[in-house]
Amino acid sequence: MRELLHVINSFQKLDEETEEAVKKYFVEEKFKRNEVIIEEGKICDKIYFIQSGIIRRFSMDESIEVTKWIYTDNQFVTSMSSFFEQKPSFEIFQASEETTVYSLSFDDEQILLSYLLFSSFHLKLLRLYLSKINEFHHQFRLMSAQQKYLYLLKSFPQIIKKAKLKDIASLIGVSQETLSRIRASIT
């Protein structure tokens, strides 16, 4: 819980009442390796903060898993369109290793949003995430495979350190063999 409160307070300093509400409504959950957290076709009713572990977001393309992103410690995770609009998810979220999260249900989020300081945090976080997603998709799409790997290495080193080679390769859009050659050429 300490990490969650630290991240929230880095965006918006909370008062004691709001911190207590955060402690009340965020619930610790543990997922085993390969356990599905958010299912395709089902409504995602929680947002997660990763205390420790890895969560992979992917979709299926003609029976092939296509990794869209890999989340690591101290990141918030949810199927955004499913959670915020309460419609079925078109993606799958799966723990890549034993993962501990703090989850917040959709209903409890609505309660926390009545706290002005939490609402301010929420808005600041969403603005940052939307900006980063926009920037990422613009830049990443134009990069070569090697540039994508170097970008991840520089900006998201936890992904490179913790994720499976096949998942990083899928995220970058290359085979595992190609990724191995890229890694070898860099070191």
Side-chain angles (χ1 to χ4, degrees):
M1 184 64 67
R2 188 179 79 246
E3 298 89 354
L4 172 61
L5 289 170
H6 175 74
V7 169
I8 292 173
N9 278 300
S10 72
F11 282 90
Q12 174 63 56
K13 183 73 175 135
L14 302 181
D15 59 17
E16 190 174 321
E17 178 186 8
T18 307
E19 275 200 16
E20 289 304 313
V22 167
K23 290 177 186 176
K24 176 181 178 181
Y25 291 111
F26 275 88
V27 177
E28 184 178 290
E29 292 186 57
K30 294 181 184 287
F31 294 98
K32 294 180 176 144
R33 182 175 186 231
N34 296 326
E35 188 173 350
V36 172
I37 299 168
I38 301 170
E39 293 183 54
E40 179 181 21
K42 297 205 174 169
I43 295 174
C44 172
D45 65 347
K46 293 180 183 177
I47 190 166
Y48 303 91
F49 175 82
I50 303 174
Q51 181 195 358
S52 63
I54 300 176
I55 297 175
R56 179 173 68 108
R57 184 182 87 201
F58 66 97
S59 59
M60 299 302 291
D61 185 13
E62 297 181 16
S63 302
I64 296 171
E65 294 180 0
V66 179
T67 300
K68 302 293 185 179
W69 194 247
I70 300 165
Y71 302 87
T72 59
D73 300 355
N74 299 326
Q75 289 187 311
F76 287 93
V77 179
T78 194
S79 175
M80 284 197 267
S81 59
S82 180
F83 181 78
F84 292 123
E85 297 181 49
Q86 289 295 277
K87 64 183 188 181
S89 176
F90 55 85
E91 302 170 302
I92 303 161
F93 291 71
Q94 180 183 48
S96 294
E97 64 183 29
E98 287 199 16
T99 299
T100 302
V101 300
Y102 292 105
S103 66
L104 178 67
S105 72
F106 181 83
D107 292 337
D108 288 342
E109 182 203 36
Q110 302 311 303
I111 294 168
L112 278 179
L113 287 172
S114 69
Y115 290 80
L116 182 60
L117 295 175
F118 185 83
S119 187
S120 178
F121 151 73
H122 194 270
L123 181 60
K124 290 174 182 179
L125 179 72
L126 284 175
R127 289 175 64 101
L128 176 69
Y129 273 37
L130 289 172
S131 172
K132 293 296 183 188
I133 288 168
N134 186 51
E135 181 181 311
F136 170 79
H137 284 293
H138 173 71
Q139 291 179 345
F140 210 66
R141 164 179 82 74
L142 301 172
M143 293 178 185
S144 68
Q146 183 168 353
Q147 289 170 322
K148 288 177 182 179
Y149 182 81
L150 290 170
Y151 173 80
L152 292 174
L153 188 61
K154 179 182 176 196
S155 302
F156 301 96
Q158 286 298 100
I159 291 174
I160 301 301
K161 289 178 188 171
K162 295 177 76 174
K164 297 175 192 169
L165 186 65
K166 74 174 187 68
D167 296 337
I168 297 169
S170 177
L171 177 62
I172 291 173
V174 297
S175 68
Q176 289 183 57
E177 296 78 26
T178 300
L179 180 56
S180 293
R181 285 194 299 274
I182 290 169
R183 290 174 86 170
S185 73
I186 292 170
T187 55

